[in-house]
Amino acid sequence: MNLGKIVGIIVLAGLVIGALVLVIKLISGAIGIIGGVFNMILGLAVIIALIAIVIWMFSYAKKNK
């Protein structure tokens, strides 16, 4: 092997490793976004449930005066 082939192999290996790192970072970012959306949905569900409980409490108190 001459020097040109060795440099080519090293450059190609660097590009492949860089591509793999990029793919892994993209996948972890997508998982993070999905987790954030899931947390947002859970938060909205809790807020809606709390509003429903407060409305029910006031309507119950109004009926049982």
Side-chain angles (χ1 to χ4, degrees), residues 1 3-5 7-8 11 14-15 18-19 21-23 26 34-36 39-40 43 45 47-48 51 53 57 63 65:
M1 281 189 159
L3 187 62
K5 286 185 179 181
V7 170
V11 169
L15 289 174
V21 168
L22 179 64
V23 167
L26 286 172
I34 291 170
N39 285 335
M40 182 187 66
I47 291 170
I48 291 170
I51 291 170
I53 290 170
M57 283 180 2
K63 288 178 188 175
K65 264 189 170 176

Side-chain angles (χ1 to χ4, degrees), residues 3 5 14 17 19 21 24 28 36 39 45 49 54 58 62:
L3 187 62
K5 286 185 179 181
I17 291 171
V21 168
I24 290 170
S28 67
N39 285 335
V54 169
F58 279 109
K62 188 176 180 181

Side-chain angles (χ1 to χ4, degrees), residues 31-61:
I31 291 171
I33 290 173
I34 291 170
V37 169
F38 181 69
N39 285 335
M40 182 187 66
I41 291 171
L42 285 177
L44 286 174
V46 167
I47 291 170
I48 291 170
L50 287 172
I51 291 170
I53 290 170
V54 169
I55 291 171
W56 174 78
M57 283 180 2
F58 279 109
S59 66
Y60 183 80

